[in-house]
Amino acid sequence: DAGITQSPRYKITETGRQVTLMCHQTWSHSYMFWYRQDLGHGLRLIYYSAAADITDKGEVPDGYVVSRSKTENFPLTLESATRSQTSVYFCASSTDRPLNTEAFFGQGTRLTVV
Amino acid sequence: AQSVTQLGSHVSVSEGALVLLRCNYSSSVPPYLFWYVQYPNQGLQLLLKYTTGATLVKGINGFEAEFKKSETSFHLTKPSAHMSDAAEYFCAVSGRSGGGADGLTFGKGTHLIIQP
């Protein structure tokens, strides 16, 4: 399917476990982003990537790791999950830094850490 | 750092009434401004954006927004609300976020409720 897809849609994990959220886009967009959405905070940028093998921190990167070996994939890993990382995670992509271009969002992954 | 403030976490209007969702921003450089809509259990979808040129921007589903530099505002309006407009609305500014990264900085969102 064309577009941007996230998997899984829902995930429950235990504190301390490693979990990876997947993001795949079919447009060959250069830029990809990970946001988390929490009540009262809106969306906050975790990490972003300008191209394959180029990643950089966003506003709230602590506790997360990303990689981008291929343009189309941008997985987000929680190395040791904590309850504070319970959130809805959105992946997005755009053709350029979203200075004036649209960012396209996946449907989100709802992660619960128990 | 840039920031966005959305006034009112919840806005309730009657079907057929005017919708007004408020957004103010702060930016040290000319901003690019966006409104996104999020329907339940879905990702965000672009409603409209302001980059340069005309300050009144028209978007999808009958929404429009006006960029007012003097007021640092980018309020979203729709003349007549429809039940299908019930959703979460996010205002965003592009550029460097709080962490110094390239990405959209979002407001906290406004939940629009449509009363029948």
Side-chain angles (χ1 to χ4, degrees):
Chain A
D1 289 338
I4 184 165
T5 56
Q6 294 182 234
S7 61
R9 289 292 311 277
Y10 303 91
K11 177 73 177 179
I12 299 175
T13 191
E14 295 178 339
T15 301
R17 288 194 180 269
Q18 179 176 311
V19 60
T20 296
L21 310 183
M22 304 302 293
C23 179
H24 176 79
Q25 53 106 351
T26 61
W27 295 304
S28 298
H29 284 171
S30 298
Y31 277 77
M32 296 188 74
F33 307 85
W34 275 106
Y35 291 88
R36 59 177 291 173
Q37 181 180 26
D38 303 288
L39 272 176
H41 290 280
L43 282 84
R44 292 177 291 175
L45 182 66
I46 305 171
Y47 268 95
Y48 77 104
S49 169
D53 297 323
I54 300 175
T55 62
D56 207 347
K57 297 178 180 179
E59 183 184 354
V60 289
D62 293 343
Y64 303 95
V65 175
V66 294
S67 62
R68 194 163 176 211
S69 57
K70 293 184 178 180
T71 300
E72 60 267 30
N73 296 323
F74 191 40
L76 176 74
T77 298
L78 288 67
E79 293 189 298
S80 178
T82 65
R83 290 200 177 96
S84 65
Q85 292 177 308
T86 292
S87 185
V88 180
Y89 291 85
F90 286 98
C91 180
S93 71
S94 67
T95 56
D96 199 347
R97 294 183 299 160
L99 291 180
N100 62 355
T101 58
E102 177 180 359
F104 295 86
F105 285 80
Q107 292 198 310
T109 295
R110 184 176 294 275
L111 176 68
T112 302
V113 183
V114 298
Chain B
Q2 303 185 70
S3 66
V4 174
T5 302
Q6 291 183 239
L7 298 177
S9 60
H10 291 77
V11 170
S12 180
V13 302
S14 298
E15 190 174 17
L18 171 71
V19 175
L20 171 60
L21 304 183
R22 300 177 186 273
C23 172
N24 289 88
Y25 68 91
S26 69
S27 176
S28 58
V29 296
Y32 297 113
L33 296 159
F34 304 79
W35 275 100
Y36 281 84
V37 61
Q38 183 183 31
Y39 298 103
N41 296 315
Q42 294 190 25
L44 280 70
Q45 177 185 1
L46 182 68
L47 268 181
L48 50 80
K49 65 180 180 183
Y50 168 78
T51 55
T52 58
T55 56
L56 182 62
V57 180
K58 295 187 183 298
I60 62 172
N61 301 336
F63 284 93
E64 61 183 36
E66 187 172 10
F67 169 61
K68 292 187 177 181
K69 184 179 179 180
S70 61
E71 298 177 6
T72 62
S73 69
F74 191 55
H75 302 330
L76 181 69
T77 60
K78 182 174 181 178
S80 178
H82 192 272
M83 296 299 292
S84 61
D85 294 328
E88 191 83 15
Y89 292 80
F90 292 94
C91 183
V93 60
S94 70
R96 297 200 172 266
S97 70
D102 291 324
L104 290 166
T105 299
F106 286 88
K108 294 182 179 181
T110 297
H111 186 64
L112 179 62
I113 301 163
I114 310 298
Q115 305 279 6

